[in-house]
Amino acid sequence: MSTATTLRTGATIAATLYTAVLVLLGLYPTQFRYLLAYIPAAIGYGVVVFDKWAWHWPAIHRLTARPWVTGTWRVILSPSPESHIPEGGNKGPITGYMTIEQTFWGLHATLRTKESTSSRSSNATLTAPENSGTFEIGFLYDNKPRMEHQPRSPRHEGACRISVTGLTPLTATGHYYTSRFTAGDMDFTLLDRSTHHSTFAEAQATDPEATPS
């Protein structure tokens, strides 16, 4: 369980239990004199609302100063010429789709290509190196190729770093490295804010520039 999920779950449980105790004691919020007693519960629920939604609402977003990157992104991977790509492997460019799920305190990314079921992130970080309006997203990932490709493309790990500019970026650039001794550049374009796609085909269906597989 991620830190953000733990925080939201803890805040929700604590606020709900606190509210239940007040009600059992007969301290109903409809009575003005008891309203102050519900402030801790309101703060607990407020933490959840802020973490999941409110932090990127227009007026608040300028104060939080954190880029909103939630959504489905088209990503073009361009392996470097020095990459150790096996015979029959795809030397690129490779089209993939990255789904990013973001809250104020958490970030998770899943990359899907035609040859892999998913590459799931771990240890994701979001930093602003020089407070210049450019942010860097970094994470490790575990790639699981489809069974038919595993003889030449086994399961592997990698690292990725993405640079975004502004609070609501529509494009981004980055680079990646893998344990198979491959590396390359990445170019991103935001397609939409949805995060429900579970396969490469589903994400590709939303891409107006995609060539049907």
Side-chain angles (χ1 to χ4, degrees), residues 96-99 101 108-122 139-147 149-150 153-158 180 197-201:
Y97 297 95
M98 180 176 286
T99 299
E101 298 173 82
H108 178 78
T110 302
L111 175 66
R112 298 179 176 87
T113 67
K114 191 175 181 180
E115 293 189 359
S116 67
T117 54
S118 65
S119 297
R120 300 185 182 279
S121 69
S122 62
F139 55 82
L140 305 177
Y141 65 86
D142 177 32
N143 180 272
K144 300 177 183 178
R146 294 171 60 88
M147 292 296 295
H149 300 296
Q150 288 193 13
S153 180
R155 181 173 177 173
H156 59 277
E157 298 176 340
R180 298 186 305 174
H197 305 303
S198 59
T199 65
F200 173 84

Side-chain angles (χ1 to χ4, degrees), residues 78-97:
S78 303
S80 70
E82 292 76 23
S83 293
H84 295 191
I85 299 175
E87 187 69 27
N90 192 342
K91 300 183 182 296
I94 303 166
T95 298
Y97 297 95

Side-chain angles (χ1 to χ4, degrees), residues 21-106:
V21 170
L22 292 179
V23 172
L24 289 174
L25 292 175
L27 306 179
Y28 300 108
T30 53
Q31 300 179 48
F32 181 77
R33 58 179 173 169
Y34 295 139
L35 284 180
L36 291 179
Y38 282 83
I39 290 179
I43 292 174
Y45 290 123
V47 167
V48 177
V49 172
F50 175 82
D51 183 45
K52 289 184 67 68
W53 303 288
W55 71 270
H56 61 77
W57 292 348
I60 301 175
H61 202 182
R62 288 191 291 271
L63 298 176
T64 58
R66 181 173 299 222
W68 184 32
V69 294
T70 291
T72 297
W73 298 72
R74 180 200 307 122
V75 53
I76 305 299
L77 298 92
S78 303
S80 70
E82 292 76 23
S83 293
H84 295 191
I85 299 175
E87 187 69 27
N90 192 342
K91 300 183 182 296
I94 303 166
T95 298
Y97 297 95
M98 180 176 286
T99 299
I100 300 180
E101 298 173 82
Q102 181 189 15
T103 67
F104 184 75
W105 285 293

Side-chain angles (χ1 to χ4, degrees), residues 124-195:
T125 59
L126 177 62
T127 58
E130 299 177 356
N131 296 319
S132 60
T134 297
F135 298 81
E136 289 190 352
I137 301 170
F139 55 82
L140 305 177
Y141 65 86
D142 177 32
N143 180 272
K144 300 177 183 178
R146 294 171 60 88
M147 292 296 295
E148 61 188 290
H149 300 296
Q150 288 193 13
R152 64 167 176 79
S153 180
R155 181 173 177 173
H156 59 277
E157 298 176 340
C160 174
R161 185 163 292 278
I162 306 167
S163 296
V164 298
T165 301
L167 296 182
T168 53
L170 301 178
T171 60
T173 58
H175 51 269
Y176 68 92
Y177 306 92
T178 78
S179 58
R180 298 186 305 174
F181 302 104
T182 59
D185 296 316
M186 310 173 79
D187 293 286
F188 295 82
T189 302
L190 179 66
L191 296 180
D192 55 53
R193 294 293 181 183
S194 64
T195 60

